[in-house]
Amino acid sequence: MRVVAFVPGSISDQILFFPTLDDLKRYYPDAQIDVIVEPQSKAAYRVSKSVHEVLTFDYSDRNSLADWSNLVGTIRDREYDVAITAGESWFIGLFLWLTGIPTRIGYKGKGAGFLTNTIRRNTFQYVAAMYHDLLQPMRIKTPCPELTANVPKPDIQWAQQEQKRLGIHETGYILIYGGSSYSSQIDGADTSYPIGSWQQIIQDCQHKQPELPIVLIKEADDENFVRVLLESCSNIKITSPDDIGKLTAIIGGASLMLSIENAPLQLAIAVQTYTIALLGSTDPDKLLPKSDKFLAIKSHSGKTADIPPTTVLEKIWGG
């Protein structure tokens, strides 16, 4: 059986779709599963264990008829048996009908008339579970499994060497992600957190547990963010993973991660690292699974920046 999944959205959206792909592979181990994602989201599949091939298509671009026709031709040539779409779009529904794929699964709504199997989109639940509901027409009605990541061995080895380089391989460490390269804009909402607030949190942690290193994830757009923190918190350590696999591996070695809403937050969930998530307007029940390992601090104003550092510190120290 050949299956293709259309998954528009960010890297976070892809990671939240992993349980759906993993369960599909578990029930149909001989199935070949491909995904079609936006170019900037392809990187997520470095840590997926269930996908055969990742194709890219810019869903949000103003694609010409020639672009769509080329994609239809590519899909037809592969002779898929099943198509699953995670989005709701009249045009995607029409597109799937034009591909001639026998079984076309998606949510009720726009474009549903072009699908062979539809389910109601339950948006009042954990997003990964909402995606997993798409497997019901394939006689998979078990609960959504835990989100997991498959980290390549070279990336694990890189993380081990990085921990030795930083001198943290025997102590454990607090990992902080407050940067911007994985986008601090989620669905138009600013999820960034002020440098001054990070300074207060880091300084308090260093004062109370000076033996526990604090590691900051630095990305391409974080030069000013990192420079300012280093000026006031000189003992922090910096790591710069250059792909999702290495990032996942370094997250997996942390004792605790502090993160704004972004892809690294979902990676922390995938590797079961104790995590405190700083959220703005997002409902924690939709973003995080039920687990004592993952705590959410939701801003009362809907802006992540308004979360008091003292509130974060109370969570860290169990106050």
Side-chain angles (χ1 to χ4, degrees):
M1 180 171 66
R2 303 193 69 178
V3 181
V4 59
F6 291 74
V7 193
S10 66
I11 288 178
S12 291
D13 293 315
Q14 310 306 315
I15 299 168
L16 285 163
F17 201 76
F18 280 9
T20 300
L21 298 169
D22 293 345
D23 229 14
L24 181 59
K25 190 67 173 177
R26 182 165 69 93
Y27 276 85
Y28 298 95
D30 295 329
Q32 178 180 303
I33 304 172
D34 297 341
V35 293
I36 300 179
V37 305
E38 294 174 49
Q40 65 271 24
S41 298
K42 182 178 180 178
Y45 290 89
R46 183 177 178 87
V47 292
S48 170
K49 62 184 178 183
S50 301
V51 170
H52 174 260
E53 187 173 359
V54 183
L55 307 175
T56 60
F57 187 76
D58 195 344
Y59 294 96
S60 59
D61 193 15
R62 293 184 175 180
N63 299 291
S64 66
L65 286 176
D67 294 327
W68 286 103
S69 296
N70 289 337
L71 186 57
V72 167
T74 299
I75 298 302
R76 280 183 171 274
D77 289 344
R78 291 167 182 264
E79 298 182 340
Y80 291 109
D81 303 291
V82 179
I84 300 172
T85 176
E88 287 183 87
S89 165
W90 178 87
F91 207 85
I92 290 291
L94 173 61
F95 168 80
L96 289 178
W97 178 71
L98 291 173
T99 64
I101 297 173
T103 301
R104 305 181 296 278
I105 300 170
Y107 297 112
K108 292 180 179 178
K110 297 177 181 178
F114 297 105
L115 304 176
T116 60
N117 302 82
T118 60
I119 64 164
R120 183 177 63 86
R121 186 185 185 107
N122 180 1
T123 59
F124 299 99
Q125 61 177 329
Y126 179 38
V127 172
M130 180 189 75
Y131 288 148
H132 189 262
D133 289 344
L134 288 165
L135 297 182
Q136 291 177 9
M138 300 187 71
R139 300 189 298 278
I140 301 175
K141 299 184 179 182
T142 50
C144 178
E146 290 185 344
L147 198 162
T148 60
N150 184 46
V151 185
K153 187 176 179 179
D155 295 336
I156 295 173
Q157 293 172 338
W158 175 89
Q160 292 169 343
Q161 291 300 315
E162 180 72 351
Q163 290 167 11
K164 290 179 180 178
R165 182 185 72 83
L166 296 172
I168 58 176
H169 59 292
E170 295 181 347
T171 60
Y173 50 96
I174 295 175
L175 189 64
I176 292 177
Y177 180 83
S180 57
S181 292
Y182 287 99
S183 180
S184 60
Q185 295 286 332
I186 306 293
D187 294 333
D190 187 359
T191 66
S192 60
Y193 196 58
I195 293 177
S197 297
W198 282 123
Q199 288 173 327
Q200 187 173 335
I201 292 167
I202 291 170
Q203 289 169 353
D204 188 86
C205 289
Q206 289 179 328
H207 175 71
K208 289 185 176 177
Q209 287 203 348
E211 73 286 354
L212 186 61
I214 295 177
V215 180
L216 194 68
I217 297 172
K218 176 181 178 295
E219 295 174 331
D221 298 333
D222 297 339
E223 291 292 343
N224 184 63
F225 176 74
V226 172
R227 179 182 57 79
V228 174
L229 284 179
L230 281 173
E231 289 175 354
S232 58
C233 312
S234 58
N235 291 329
I236 59 175
K237 300 176 184 293
I238 309 298
T239 186
S240 301
D242 60 10
D243 62 50
I244 288 285
K246 294 181 180 67
L247 176 61
T248 307
I250 206 72
I251 291 172
S255 304
L256 171 68
M257 182 168 177
L258 308 177
S259 179
I260 58 174
E261 181 181 348
N262 48 38
L265 172 60
Q266 296 303 327
L267 294 174
I269 293 169
V271 294
Q272 295 286 303
T273 293
Y274 282 93
T275 302
I276 296 176
L278 281 59
L279 306 181
S281 58
T282 303
D283 182 350
D285 290 338
K286 295 182 180 180
L287 195 66
L288 306 176
K290 298 292 185 183
S291 171
D292 293 338
K293 287 188 173 183
F294 315 122
L295 303 176
I297 302 175
K298 188 177 185 300
S299 171
H300 293 298
S301 70
K303 296 180 180 179
T304 307
D306 291 338
I307 297 174
T310 52
T311 301
V312 180
L313 290 167
E314 286 172 1
K315 286 286 187 180
I316 293 174
W317 308 123

